[in-house]
Amino acid sequence: MSKVRVSDEPIYWGLFGFGGMVMAFALPAILLLMILQGFGVDCFNIFSLLSHWWGAGAIAVIVCATLWHCMHRIYHSLHDVLIHTTRLHHYVLYGIAFAGSVITCMMCLGWYYFILKITPFL
């Protein structure tokens, strides 16, 4: 009787698909708001968005999902440039995505805490 090898690829493909959906739906709206703000239209304030838990969470989800999507695409695109991927590539690229996700969540939590707790006293 042979053992079935358990793969972690479905997790990464799921994060890839989720990141692609986030990029398809949320990123164009965010870019439009940032372009409008660049032209002086005051329709978007990142600090007011970060002052609510749902706004900070939404920014964290958008950035983290996009990061996982991009790292998974880079990992599988290495074959196109004739680089055979090894476990080292796997650990480095997904490690970057994980570290970036942790940093993003900590920064959003930090900004939420700073805006909510400290700025009323300023």
Side-chain angles (χ1 to χ4, degrees), residues 5 14-15 36 41-42 46 48 50 56 68-69 72 74 76 95 98 104 111 117:
R5 183 177 175 267
L15 290 169
L36 288 174
V41 178
D42 192 23
I46 192 72
S48 66
L50 283 170
W68 280 98
H69 177 82
H72 189 74
I74 289 171
H76 285 286
F98 180 75
T104 299
W111 273 108
K117 302 291 184 193

Side-chain angles (χ1 to χ4, degrees), residues 11-12 14-24 27 58-76 90 92-107:
I11 296 169
Y12 300 118
L15 290 169
F16 172 75
F18 178 65
M21 291 298 289
V22 166
M23 288 176 64
L27 215 51
I59 289 174
V61 166
I62 290 169
V63 171
C64 294
T66 304
L67 185 60
W68 280 98
H69 177 82
C70 293
M71 288 298 120
H72 189 74
R73 185 169 292 273
I74 289 171
Y75 177 74
H76 285 286
H90 178 87
V92 168
L93 290 174
Y94 293 128
I96 291 170
F98 180 75
S101 296
V102 169
I103 290 169
T104 299
C105 290
M106 294 301 289
M107 287 180 67

Side-chain angles (χ1 to χ4, degrees), residues 79-97:
H79 289 288
D80 297 339
V81 292
L82 303 175
I83 297 174
H84 178 69
T85 56
T86 62
R87 294 304 277 179
L88 178 64
H89 294 105
H90 178 87
Y91 292 135
V92 168
L93 290 174
Y94 293 128
I96 291 170

